[in-house]
Amino acid sequence: MKIRYELEGTYGKARVGKLVTNHGTFETPMFMPVGTQATVKTLSPEELKEMGSAVILSNTYHLWLRPGEDIVHQAGGLHTFMNYDGPILTDSGGYQVFSLAKNKKKDIVEEGVHFKSHLDGKKLFLTPELSIHIQNQLDSDIAMSFDECPPASADYQYLKNSVERTLRWAKRGLDVHRNENQSLFGIVQGGPYEDLRKYSAIETVKMNFDGYSIGGVANDDESKEDMYRAIDYSIPYLPEDKPRYLMGVGEPVDIIEGVIRGIDMFDCVLPTRIARHGNAFTRHGKMNLKNAKYKEDFTPIEESCDCYACKHYTRAYIRHLIVANETFGARLLSIHNIRFLIRLVEELREAIRNQTLMEYREEFLKSYLGG
Amino acid sequence: MKIRYELEGTYGKARVGKLVTNHGTFETPMFMPVGTQATVKTLSPEELKEMGSAVILSNTYHLWLRPGEDIVHQAGGLHTFMNYDGPILTDSGGYQVFSLAKNKKKDIVEEGVHFKSHLDGKKLFLTPELSIHIQNQLDSDIAMSFDECPPASADYQYLKNSVERTLRWAKRGLDVHRNENQSLFGIVQGGPYEDLRKYSAIETVKMNFDGYSIGGVANDDESKEDMYRAIDYSIPYLPEDKPRYLMGVGEPVDIIEGVIRGIDMFDCVLPTRIARHGNAFTRHGKMNLKNAKYKEDFTPIEESCDCYACKHYTRAYIRHLIVANETFGARLLSIHNIRFLIRLVEELREAIRNQTLMEYREEFLKSYLGG
């Protein structure tokens, strides 16, 4: 069975709904934790479930290189391999080819992309067909079309050509996709340009995918307006009855802005990555637990948080673990940070239902950016 | 309340019994996982409980340096600080001074030991009184006397002097120990010499500690006979109604040999340390999961094992995690390895009760050493 999206309510462009999958039904908007190498770093599947995780994401590029898609397939697919019985989404590998290829060198041809492995420099060639084949072998619930991820510096003409190529690649992927239990998403590209985003959205939607992603949005502070524009330019052309996924975005502020603009799904490595550096999301902004002021602070990261870390451990203890390089520290912070983002989307759903989304946003931003 | 040992049965010198503590009653012989820095590496307290852990060990030297005993005290003691509500044993720091002092340089004087921190080279001075003070602040259930840990190369005369000093230090520690809820163990030293072990045991027992440790046993393969001798020479002089703890030993074969010789308690970093290098204990010896032959092996580490890792994950998945440097791999192997040693002592208790200890040993060794 393919996934199904059920719209349940709106507030402006923002939507609450349900994503019905072969591995359960979950509410949207949702935040999807990232398990790059078939594991959400430091965490068990049971911990993810306890935090309220729904879909988790895994990376086609990484699993293709290691352990190899055939091994995952032999294991019975990604769910069995990694012991996660909720839905799993795999990306296409397109972004990793762009960001991880050895020396960032790659050769984009019509057929696909030539590049070298970031692990051992081995020559590799990834095509839309191969990406779909790998994702089929991984047996994720949701697969992504293989797209070109243009550099942030790309000019209009480059992006125009890139959008055309991404459409041709999407079509090729769709043509070879035969897994009735795996949904396939199309990806809207076009950088910060209204006409390109519109064109990309309309043409992608014509192919009738099971859902639509908005790609090519940078995650740095300078490009926030471009990110919001990219969403605004794409959303009007996406069908109401399909989920909309903003790829790679997980800053709390961006999740709120994305939801307001009509996004249903988010993913990001941020909560686990900042955890490994000793940082926690809080309602008052990011907290760096390495700071000496937490040495004798015997309160939880956040009194109001319901996560395992906040229920049982103090800032002083977590600081000690981080300073002493103990991985249980990263584990506790990963739990807190993922739960923080999952609570955020829970509250956003509630605010849409209660028609209080703008008040919620104002209050959150005042506290979060006020520090 | 001090701990209490209740002898329940014997087979030769081997004993089954109960250790009654302020944090629960637990059966002996027992294996105690090591949480050097107030965390058993990669694991949560709940996971330790699920594995059947009873007492866990933490290191006075490490906690003295980081975060400092006063912070742990302010937190409400080690149990509260690290969220472990079972009994905790702290060592004295003596062994770490010996093994971790910067450049291994130290100056042993009658008053205590001058040495430099392995973290920042800071000059430190640890004495029997300070060790007891730190352990009091940590508020462990069981504290250790501060002893001198002589090098493996020490000759008879050195060891004789060292035994005398350790006795004087034990007395000084006992004199300042005032915590009615913390038990204090004496430590028998004397290397491989029968007369020194006998003398050390008799004189230590005269001071009436709450339990007795056998220290100064090397953990390497060449010194196994010396280790067994050290136990054999000490045990006859230890009282029946007090627990006997062989410090730092966790190789399955040594646990079996120790139990046969009358030991009740063991601790070792081995199960978590070998886990981080991709190794698992099995009934057929150690298994290195990095080995390519496990790449497509979709069976658990051990079919017969009841641990979380063996119930839900395959060798192929754990191998993937280890090769990809994912800490969830070390976590799964740590769970398996600690559970392996806890199951071993469970079976040894059963074998003592059933008077089948020597058959159990023979069978285990045949399988474990047979590979």
Side-chain angles (χ1 to χ4, degrees):
Chain A
M1 189 192 81
K2 303 277 184 180
I3 57 151
R4 203 170 68 241
Y5 174 78
E6 293 173 4
L7 180 64
E8 298 194 330
T10 59
Y11 176 77
K13 289 181 192 162
R15 340 187 308 155
V16 272
K18 278 207 171 75
L19 196 67
V20 183
T21 81
N22 290 321
H23 289 91
T25 297
F26 301 92
E27 295 191 299
T28 61
M30 63 163 62
F31 174 77
M32 307 186 285
V34 178
T36 304
Q37 305 192 104
T39 168
V40 177
K41 289 193 190 302
T42 77
L43 302 178
S44 72
E46 290 78 7
E47 284 167 324
L48 290 166
K49 287 297 182 74
E50 201 192 313
M51 286 175 234
S53 79
V55 180
I56 62 168
L57 189 140
S58 203
N59 290 104
T60 292
Y61 168 82
H62 287 92
L63 297 178
W64 175 39
L65 263 54
R66 210 166 52 183
E69 72 279 12
D70 287 342
I71 284 176
V72 177
H73 176 71
Q74 277 179 63
L78 203 43
H79 296 85
T80 313
F81 187 57
M82 69 182 289
N83 184 36
Y84 190 75
D85 65 3
I88 300 175
L89 182 152
T90 44
D91 64 2
S92 70
Y95 180 75
Q96 281 70 35
V97 166
F98 162 67
S99 63
L100 285 181
K102 197 175 167 76
N103 310 322
K104 304 250 174 203
K105 275 175 65 176
K106 58 195 176 302
D107 182 23
I108 304 167
V109 296
E110 185 56 26
E111 178 68 12
V113 187
H114 294 277
F115 65 103
K116 288 178 179 172
S117 161
H118 76 292
L119 292 177
D120 59 7
K122 196 180 148 190
K123 280 186 189 177
L124 297 168
F125 185 51
L126 193 56
T127 66
E129 291 82 3
L130 180 54
S131 171
I132 295 296
H133 169 74
I134 298 167
Q135 294 182 79
N136 255 288
Q137 292 290 89
L138 298 176
D139 201 25
S140 53
D141 297 84
I142 302 172
M144 289 291 129
S145 295
F146 186 69
D147 59 337
E148 186 192 346
C149 297
S153 59
D155 62 15
Y156 181 87
Q157 193 52 49
Y158 185 103
L159 287 169
K160 193 172 187 311
N161 294 337
S162 172
V163 162
E164 293 287 6
R165 173 143 48 207
T166 289
L167 287 168
R168 292 192 298 272
W169 285 1
K171 177 76 170 55
R172 279 167 53 192
L174 196 59
D175 285 347
V176 297
H177 188 256
R178 292 280 170 275
N179 186 339
E180 271 310 308
N181 287 312
Q182 185 180 58
S183 300
L184 183 59
F185 278 29
I187 302 179
V188 178
Q189 289 284 1
Y193 299 105
E194 185 165 11
D195 61 329
L196 295 184
R197 286 281 171 184
K198 177 180 173 181
Y199 174 73
S200 173
I202 289 172
E203 294 302 314
T204 306
V205 168
K206 278 185 191 165
M207 289 185 248
N208 195 25
F209 285 98
D210 304 305
Y212 298 93
S213 305
I214 296 176
V217 294
N219 229 331
D220 47 281
D221 280 342
E222 299 78 55
S223 318
K224 277 202 188 303
E225 287 309 316
D226 280 350
M227 182 202 293
Y228 303 154
R229 264 194 285 271
I231 305 170
D232 286 334
Y233 297 155
S234 308
I235 287 285
Y237 309 102
L238 300 180
E240 265 206 342
D241 63 344
K242 297 284 169 73
R244 301 142 176 195
Y245 161 33
L246 183 62
M247 297 171 83
V249 169
E251 257 294 347
V253 175
D254 297 336
I255 289 181
I256 295 173
E257 296 298 337
V259 164
I260 287 172
R261 287 164 171 79
I263 299 294
D264 306 308
M265 301 162 75
F266 301 85
D267 82 284
C268 200
V269 296
L270 208 59
T272 45
R273 179 174 291 166
I274 68 171
R276 293 196 297 281
H277 296 103
N279 289 292
F281 285 128
T282 82
R283 298 289 159 140
H284 298 281
K286 284 196 204 80
M287 171 186 282
N288 184 346
L289 272 297
K290 286 186 181 168
N291 195 310
K293 72 179 170 190
Y294 301 120
K295 227 172 156 170
E296 302 179 34
D297 185 338
F298 302 109
T299 62
I301 303 169
E302 288 195 290
E303 287 286 357
S304 63
C305 179
D306 61 3
C307 85
Y308 169 75
C310 287
K311 276 191 283 186
H312 299 293
Y313 301 91
T314 61
R315 294 171 180 181
Y317 181 64
I318 296 171
R319 178 183 191 278
H320 161 66
L321 294 177
I322 294 291
V323 170
N325 275 318
E326 287 285 358
T327 60
F328 192 52
R331 183 173 156 192
L332 289 176
L333 286 175
S334 294
I335 289 174
H336 172 77
N337 287 341
I338 291 177
R339 179 63 195 145
F340 183 91
L341 296 183
I342 290 176
R343 275 179 80 209
L344 176 64
V345 292
E346 286 173 0
E347 292 174 1
L348 287 166
R349 295 197 295 257
E350 194 61 15
I352 298 168
R353 287 202 180 93
N354 297 340
Q355 307 288 306
T356 54
L357 184 57
M358 300 321 281
E359 292 90 324
Y360 178 84
R361 172 207 192 202
E362 194 181 348
E363 231 173 89
F364 186 95
L365 293 190
K366 205 171 124 188
S367 165
Y368 190 78
L369 301 177
Chain B
M1 191 192 80
K2 304 277 184 179
I3 58 150
R4 204 171 66 242
Y5 175 76
E6 294 173 2
L7 179 64
E8 298 194 329
T10 58
Y11 176 78
K13 290 180 191 162
R15 335 184 316 153
V16 273
K18 276 205 171 75
L19 196 67
V20 183
T21 81
N22 290 320
H23 290 91
T25 297
F26 301 93
E27 296 191 300
T28 61
M30 61 163 62
F31 174 77
M32 307 185 286
V34 178
T36 302
Q37 305 191 102
T39 169
V40 177
K41 288 191 191 305
T42 76
L43 302 179
S44 72
E46 291 78 8
E47 285 168 323
L48 290 166
K49 289 297 183 74
E50 201 192 314
M51 285 174 235
S53 79
V55 181
I56 63 166
L57 188 141
S58 202
N59 290 102
T60 291
Y61 168 82
H62 287 92
L63 297 178
W64 176 39
L65 264 55
R66 211 167 51 185
E69 71 279 13
D70 288 341
I71 284 176
V72 177
H73 177 70
Q74 278 179 63
L78 202 43
H79 297 85
T80 313
F81 187 58
M82 69 182 288
N83 184 36
Y84 190 75
D85 65 2
I88 301 176
L89 181 151
T90 44
D91 62 4
S92 69
Y95 180 75
Q96 279 72 33
V97 166
F98 162 68
S99 63
L100 286 181
K102 197 172 165 80
N103 310 323
K104 304 252 177 200
K105 274 174 66 177
K106 59 196 176 301
D107 182 21
I108 304 167
V109 295
E110 185 57 23
E111 179 67 11
V113 187
H114 294 278
F115 64 103
K116 288 179 179 171
S117 160
H118 77 292
L119 292 176
D120 58 8
K122 196 180 147 191
K123 281 186 188 175
L124 297 168
F125 185 50
L126 193 55
T127 66
E129 291 83 3
L130 179 55
S131 171
I132 295 296
H133 169 74
I134 298 167
Q135 294 182 77
N136 255 286
Q137 292 291 89
L138 298 176
D139 202 25
S140 53
D141 297 84
I142 302 172
M144 289 291 130
S145 295
F146 186 69
D147 60 337
E148 186 193 345
C149 296
S153 59
D155 62 14
Y156 181 85
Q157 193 53 46
Y158 186 103
L159 288 169
K160 193 171 186 315
N161 294 337
S162 171
V163 161
E164 293 287 4
R165 175 146 45 210
T166 289
L167 288 169
R168 291 191 299 272
W169 285 1
K171 178 74 171 51
R172 280 167 53 194
L174 196 59
D175 285 347
V176 297
H177 188 257
R178 293 280 171 273
N179 187 338
E180 271 309 308
N181 287 312
Q182 186 180 57
S183 301
L184 183 59
F185 278 29
I187 303 179
V188 177
Q189 289 283 359
Y193 299 105
E194 186 166 10
D195 61 329
L196 295 183
R197 286 281 170 187
K198 177 180 174 181
Y199 174 73
S200 174
I202 288 173
E203 294 301 315
T204 306
V205 169
K206 278 184 189 165
M207 290 184 248
N208 194 26
F209 285 96
D210 303 307
Y212 297 92
S213 304
I214 296 175
V217 294
N219 228 332
D220 47 281
D221 280 342
E222 298 78 52
S223 318
K224 277 201 190 301
E225 288 309 316
D226 279 350
M227 181 201 293
Y228 304 153
R229 263 194 286 269
I231 306 170
D232 286 334
Y233 297 155
S234 309
I235 288 285
Y237 310 102
L238 299 180
E240 263 207 343
D241 62 345
K242 297 284 169 70
R244 303 145 176 191
Y245 161 32
L246 183 64
M247 297 170 82
V249 169
E251 257 293 347
V253 176
D254 297 336
I255 290 180
I256 295 173
E257 296 298 335
V259 164
I260 288 172
R261 288 165 170 77
I263 299 293
D264 306 307
M265 301 160 75
F266 301 85
D267 82 285
C268 200
V269 296
L270 207 60
T272 45
R273 179 173 291 165
I274 68 171
R276 294 195 298 281
H277 296 103
N279 288 291
F281 285 128
T282 81
R283 299 289 159 139
H284 298 281
K286 284 198 205 77
M287 170 186 283
N288 185 346
L289 272 297
K290 287 186 180 168
N291 197 310
K293 72 179 170 191
Y294 301 120
K295 228 173 157 168
E296 302 179 34
D297 184 338
F298 303 108
T299 62
I301 303 168
E302 288 196 290
E303 287 286 358
S304 63
C305 180
D306 59 5
C307 84
Y308 169 76
C310 287
K311 275 191 284 188
H312 299 293
Y313 302 90
T314 61
R315 294 171 179 180
Y317 181 64
I318 297 172
R319 178 184 191 278
H320 162 67
L321 294 177
I322 294 290
V323 169
N325 273 319
E326 288 285 357
T327 60
F328 193 52
R331 184 173 157 191
L332 290 176
L333 286 176
S334 294
I335 289 174
H336 173 79
N337 287 342
I338 291 177
R339 179 63 195 146
F340 183 91
L341 295 184
I342 290 176
R343 276 180 78 210
L344 176 63
V345 291
E346 286 173 0
E347 291 173 3
L348 287 166
R349 295 197 294 259
E350 195 61 17
I352 298 169
R353 287 201 181 92
N354 297 340
Q355 307 289 305
T356 54
L357 185 57
M358 300 320 282
E359 292 90 324
Y360 179 84
R361 173 207 191 202
E362 194 181 349
E363 229 172 90
F364 187 95
L365 294 190
K366 204 172 127 186
S367 165
Y368 190 78
L369 302 177

